[in-house]
Amino acid sequence: MKIGNIEFRDKPLFLAPMEDVTDASFRFVCKEFGADMMYTEFVSSDGLIRDARKSLAKLLTYDYEAPIGIQIYGNIPEAMVDAAKMAEQAAEIVGGHGADLVDINFGCPVNKIARRGAGSGMMKEPDKMVMITRMVVDAVKLPVTVKTRLGWDEDSKIIVELAERLQDAGIQALTIHGRTRCQMYKGEADWTLIGKVKENPRIHIPIIGNGDIDSPEKAGEYFGRYGVDGIMIGRATYGHPWIFREIRHYLDTGELLPPMSVRDRVALAKRHLAKSIEVKGEKVGILEMRRHLSAYFKGLADFKETRLRLVTLTDPEELYKTLDYVGERWGQPEQADCKSA
């Protein structure tokens, strides 16, 4: 599989961009576990062209993340073009590795994005979506890809025709989340239309499926059933970034890896914490790690008090000591039963 001049192994696995989750430190650990392609958190085109500090900061990527895409969103064509150019020039603007491709977010369902016509709000205006896509493709030399959904609601699942139009506009890969905007993240993702897009003889670009991939078995099944070129994994990576290693092992061998031990999760949490502090500084790095520190140990019995420490401590040494305690207290097999905490 190729996107532009980026070559991937067979059945590549992609990390979905998730706001406030897939920052540089989380991407670091996902790459460590075998993610083939990653994306930045989505970046507001309006924020970029106004030099908003938070938006500009999201352009910073690192060599070890390659290949990586910078994902932009918005509903104003000229702003999207300018944002795409800035994404292409990210290395010059903020330093670091820069972008290997530019991805357009036409899939975010949250109200503050979709209700103003951006993200999956574009599903109501497919002509405008295609126009913006063509303008972005024409404005940059990097490969341009799109992530979108099946449609706005059950009565407007337009993805089969839309995929052809986006391809004709010049994109070099398409990721499809198997839900409508109105579904948000509820219900079961419907991959049948993703499969129909892939089966369309007019489609020649890679099709990446997304939605509800939460186990190696399901990844293997969906690769086979729907024939997609790649699979993107989102929410299932949260607190479980080693899912990439588990899926790859299963695809390669047909066997399941044993569950990751508590001690190994402790070691991962410490690496992740160190990277977060390195990237964002001590105060912000610790604050933004709290959600991850809690998620890494979800389900451990009698963990409530220790979880509270992990999400309230501000001193890094105390955090590392608490993580060591987790390994000592719950690191023995008989003590790590997963129960409601």
Side-chain angles (χ1 to χ4, degrees), residues 45-309:
S45 58
D46 294 341
L48 279 184
I49 64 175
R50 289 176 172 79
D51 291 331
R53 183 171 60 179
K54 185 176 180 180
S55 296
L56 286 170
K58 291 179 181 179
L59 295 182
L60 180 60
T61 63
Y62 300 88
D63 289 341
Y64 60 77
E65 300 183 88
I68 185 164
I70 290 179
Q71 188 186 74
I72 61 173
Y73 77 94
N75 67 338
I76 301 172
E78 296 77 14
M80 288 291 284
V81 166
D82 289 343
K85 291 178 179 177
M86 293 181 71
E88 185 173 49
Q89 299 164 6
E92 289 76 30
I93 295 171
V94 297
H97 173 77
D100 295 292
L101 62 79
V102 177
D103 189 65
I104 306 175
N105 182 320
F106 290 140
C108 179
V110 300
N111 282 332
K112 68 178 182 178
I113 305 297
R115 292 297 184 186
R116 68 182 195 220
S120 61
M122 277 288 172
M123 302 303 292
K124 283 187 169 183
E125 299 183 90
D127 291 343
K128 186 176 181 181
M129 180 194 295
V130 173
M131 177 190 69
I132 288 176
T133 301
R134 183 173 289 109
M135 290 174 66
V136 169
V137 168
D138 291 343
V140 298
K141 295 178 181 178
L142 287 176
V144 175
T145 60
V146 161
K147 185 174 189 288
T148 190
R149 289 188 167 225
L150 303 180
W152 178 260
D153 56 26
E154 288 296 311
D155 298 323
S156 59
K157 292 182 178 180
I158 61 174
I159 190 58
V160 176
E161 176 190 358
L162 181 62
E164 289 191 20
R165 296 182 66 189
L166 290 169
Q167 175 181 267
D168 292 345
I171 66 169
Q172 298 194 40
L174 175 64
T175 300
I176 305 169
H177 182 101
R179 290 181 173 86
T180 65
R181 185 275 160 185
C182 289
Q183 281 183 271
M184 301 293 285
Y185 295 100
K186 297 177 182 177
E188 185 176 350
D190 177 8
W191 279 60
T192 58
L193 288 179
I194 302 176
K196 287 184 178 180
V197 171
K198 180 59 188 173
E199 293 168 2
N200 183 345
R202 280 208 67 235
I203 294 294
H204 57 78
I205 60 174
I207 301 299
I208 301 156
N210 174 227
D212 292 353
I213 299 298
D214 56 8
S215 70
E217 300 96 321
K218 185 174 283 188
E221 177 189 352
Y222 281 28
F223 265 123
R225 182 186 299 180
Y226 301 105
V228 292
D229 299 283
I231 280 178
M232 180 176 284
I233 310 164
R235 290 172 295 162
T237 67
Y238 181 51
H240 189 183
W242 57 93
I243 192 172
F244 291 106
R245 183 175 66 185
E246 293 174 332
I247 292 174
R248 179 56 56 195
H249 183 81
Y250 182 79
L251 293 175
D252 289 345
T253 69
E255 299 176 352
L256 295 174
L257 287 172
M260 193 168 181
S261 71
V262 172
R263 289 186 182 275
D264 284 344
R265 280 184 273 164
V266 166
L268 166 60
K270 291 167 77 172
R271 293 196 304 277
H272 191 171
L273 175 59
K275 179 59 69 172
S276 185
I277 292 172
E278 175 189 330
V279 171
K280 297 188 176 182
E282 184 175 300
K283 182 178 180 180
V284 176
I286 289 173
L287 180 65
E288 297 193 0
M289 264 300 294
R290 287 174 174 174
R291 62 176 68 91
H292 296 287
L293 291 175
S294 179
Y296 281 144
F297 306 107
K298 184 177 180 180
L300 291 184
D302 304 317
F303 196 68
K304 184 176 181 180
E305 183 177 339
T306 304
R307 177 183 293 114
L308 184 62
R309 286 181 57 78

Side-chain angles (χ1 to χ4, degrees), residues 273 277 282-283 286-287 290 293 309-310 312-323:
L273 175 59
I277 292 172
E282 184 175 300
K283 182 178 180 180
I286 289 173
L287 180 65
R290 287 174 174 174
L293 291 175
R309 286 181 57 78
L310 289 175
T312 55
L313 287 170
T314 58
D315 180 76
E317 292 305 315
E318 289 300 314
L319 272 172
Y320 286 121
K321 288 179 182 178
T322 302
L323 287 168

